[in-house]
Amino acid sequence: MGVTSPFRLAAIDLDGTLLDPHHRVSPRSKEAVRRMSEAGVTCVLASGRMHESVLPHAQALHLDSPIISYNGAVVRYPSDTQDLLHMRLHPRHSDQVLEFCIEQGHHLNFYVDHRLMLADLGDWARFYLGQTGSPYTLAESLSQLRGLAPTKLILIDKPNSITKLQTYWRERLGSDVAVARTNPEYLEFMQLGVSKAAALDNVCSLLQIPRTETVAFGDADNDAE
């Protein structure tokens, strides 16, 4: 007799939750996902990572459910090239963060048209790529990215600097932009209203599953909602 579940959908964060310290899905976690799937639970990966960085994990777990990526800014099926949801920052907001990073010398990840744009491969870029294995494109400079509407931005720095920068940017852009700390070293900027919770509402509506029949697993501030 198979195991049944009171839940029909499980939203699962990647880093710090499903993935081990080496950023891999452990055999134990893979077995847990398999058992949930066999119990009739739709397993949905919900990550701050770009879609292209989440996709290999969905494929390794044999999941064909929608993927929530970019912290909720994008929803897309693994086998599709069309976004079910894609929310972007307005250039007037992203340009402010861009100019600040140029002037102050901060590292910035710039995500646009499903590409991670980097101005260089310095220490913070290597730190991020070592954690996520994300594909990337090198830009000639950050200034080349002015006027674009990115899916999101990540400013990366030491944790104590991120604490101060989070306060600064929430005071400056908090009424227009979602500013979230998703890792001790990461400060993310997204369109206001973007969150994993909002994207999960979208997925539940698509799959006709009530939120009362969902369960979510996560470990960071961006998982709380």
Side-chain angles (χ1 to χ4, degrees):
M1 186 174 174
V3 177
T4 59
S5 169
F7 302 106
R8 292 173 56 196
L9 186 150
I12 309 169
D13 170 53
L14 282 185
D15 295 284
T17 303
L18 183 65
L19 303 186
D20 66 18
H22 303 289
H23 312 294
R24 297 177 301 211
V25 180
S26 69
R28 184 181 181 188
S29 293
K30 189 172 184 177
E31 176 64 10
V33 171
R34 186 190 67 78
R35 290 176 64 187
M36 281 194 289
S37 297
E38 286 187 350
V41 179
T42 298
C43 295
V44 173
L45 299 185
S47 177
R49 294 188 183 198
M50 61 194 300
H51 178 87
E52 290 73 13
S53 182
V54 182
L55 183 59
H57 296 293
Q59 292 170 333
L61 293 166
H62 307 292
L63 300 178
D64 59 2
S65 51
I67 291 171
I68 295 171
S69 58
Y70 291 98
N71 209 45
V74 171
V75 174
R76 183 199 283 188
Y77 275 101
S79 58
D80 204 349
T81 58
Q82 298 298 315
D83 298 324
L84 300 170
L85 172 74
H86 194 160
M87 300 174 69
R88 297 173 176 84
L89 277 167
H90 194 283
R92 71 172 176 271
H93 299 133
S94 60
D95 279 358
Q96 290 185 52
V97 180
L98 188 69
E99 296 297 342
F100 177 85
C101 289
I102 292 172
E103 293 171 5
Q104 301 296 323
H106 288 290
H107 174 85
L108 185 69
N109 284 6
F110 194 100
Y111 300 83
V112 62
D113 298 332
H114 289 289
R115 292 183 300 162
L116 164 57
M117 304 296 296
L118 299 174
D120 59 61
L121 289 177
D123 291 343
W124 286 122
R126 291 195 298 271
F127 172 79
Y128 178 82
L129 296 173
Q131 288 194 320
T132 66
S134 298
Y136 65 90
T137 301
L138 283 176
E140 291 182 10
S141 66
L142 284 179
S143 59
Q144 175 188 347
L145 305 173
R146 290 188 181 103
L148 300 180
T151 305
K152 74 170 186 176
L153 308 172
I154 303 182
L155 194 162
I156 306 179
D157 209 327
K158 295 178 181 178
N160 59 339
S161 295
I162 291 298
T163 298
K164 297 173 183 176
L165 289 168
Q166 182 178 23
T167 300
Y168 172 81
W169 283 109
R170 282 186 171 172
E171 290 175 353
R172 186 168 181 177
L173 288 179
S175 60
D176 300 304
V177 172
V179 182
R181 188 173 191 169
T182 58
N183 202 62
E185 296 86 2
Y186 300 170
L187 189 62
E188 301 201 12
F189 301 81
M190 298 150 291
Q191 181 178 319
L192 197 65
V194 167
S195 70
K196 291 184 181 182
L200 183 57
D201 277 334
N202 184 283
V203 170
C204 286
S205 178
L206 175 71
L207 301 180
Q208 298 184 321
I209 297 175
R211 282 294 295 271
T212 53
E213 296 180 14
T214 69
V215 60
F217 301 91
D219 71 305
D221 289 348
N222 61 325
D223 298 307
E225 288 177 303

